Amino acid sequence: MSSMSSMAGKQATRIAGTSNNAVFAWFKKAEKAAPSTKQIKRAPQKVKKALKKAVPAKKIPVPSRKPGTQKTGGGAKGEGLWIPNATRPEWLDGSLPGDRAFDPLGLAKPSDYLQVSVDQLDQNKAVNKAGQVIGQFNPISDEVSEQRLQPYSEVFGLQRFRETELIHGRWAMLATLGVVVAEATTGVAWQDAGKVELDGASYLGLSLPFTVTQLTWIEAILVGGAEIYRNTEQDIERRQYPGGVFDPLDLAGDGGERAFNLKTAELKHGRLAMVAFLGFSVQALTQGEGALGSLAKFALSFEGAVESAIE
């Protein structure tokens, strides 16, 4: 009995020693497999280098904003719209000088025509069907012909509107300048200049050997002849900007961005002159005063308002 117990004790000691050796060997293996402190510190650097090689980092550009109102909307040249947050029509793409997408009535919208079949008019049928759309036609609206009275193929074409705007703007610039110069030199309001000319035609204080009727005919012949000659030109660009003697300094000769900016400036001045002459006309009809007379009245009213405010 004692021998059996001693054998059991020896067997247990062997098992315990074997298990301790196994545990000790496992810890040794784990200690060798575990990375050292230096390896742990170097690991992030290796990962960063691998990421840099694999996916190069890109810098996202941050747009710089200047203080104040920013210009938004606009066309090909980065210009603004005629009113903030306006929707630009498809036919106004900003390629023309001075294009601010102003066409609230859609007058310059390209015309398109629909071909519709004839309605059924059979009185013996209970139901007569209405005609259906069977075709569509889109004419070319910017063609110029040799017809001098109406050279454009479409009256409501965009290029024709641009040409008429340019001509009206140029006449308005001459008219507003003439009104101010004439009133400043003669003292006669521009709407009364015709009455003075009835007594005898004069220019810069010098009498002219012509009657008003003769001057009217001379003006009609000269201006009408120039207009007929202009309508013989079939090139759209030269109809609007003939160049040559009308550009003696060759300011728009390069035809690049400088010419585009000069055309835009001309349109701006022409539009302002048209509005100014409209104001001259309203003042003459309502106040009976010319441009300088209305300006003097405004100055007097402003002076009276300042004096009353001081008192």
Side-chain angles (χ1 to χ4, degrees), residues 46-58:
K46 292 181 179 180
V47 173
K48 289 181 180 178
K49 289 181 180 180
L51 289 175
K52 286 182 179 180
K53 291 181 180 179
V55 182
K58 294 183 179 181

Side-chain angles (χ1 to χ4, degrees), residues 12-91:
T13 305
R14 286 178 184 176
I15 295 172
T18 305
S19 61
N20 288 337
N21 292 334
V23 172
F24 181 75
W26 183 85
F27 274 109
K28 277 288 186 181
K29 189 182 290 187
E31 185 178 0
K32 290 180 181 180
S36 63
T37 307
K38 292 182 179 180
Q39 290 177 343
I40 293 173
K41 289 183 179 179
R42 291 175 184 173
Q45 297 179 357
K46 292 181 179 180
V47 173
K48 289 181 180 178
K49 289 181 180 180
L51 289 175
K52 286 182 179 180
K53 291 181 180 179
V55 182
K58 294 183 179 181
K59 294 183 178 180
I60 301 175
V62 179
S64 59
R65 293 179 61 87
K66 298 179 180 179
T69 303
Q70 303 294 320
K71 184 181 289 186
T72 58
K77 294 295 180 179
E79 299 290 346
L81 301 174
W82 71 280
I83 190 173
N85 300 324
T87 302
R88 178 175 288 277
E90 296 179 359
W91 55 93

Side-chain angles (χ1 to χ4, degrees), residues 11 56 74-75 83 98 103 147 152-153 166 169 176 178 185 190 217-218 220 249 261 264 300 303:
Q11 188 69 20
I83 190 173
D103 191 11
Q147 185 179 357
Y152 283 95
S153 58
L166 268 174
T176 51
T185 54
W190 68 273
W217 277 106
I218 291 173
L249 301 179
N261 294 333
T264 303
L300 290 175
E303 183 180 356

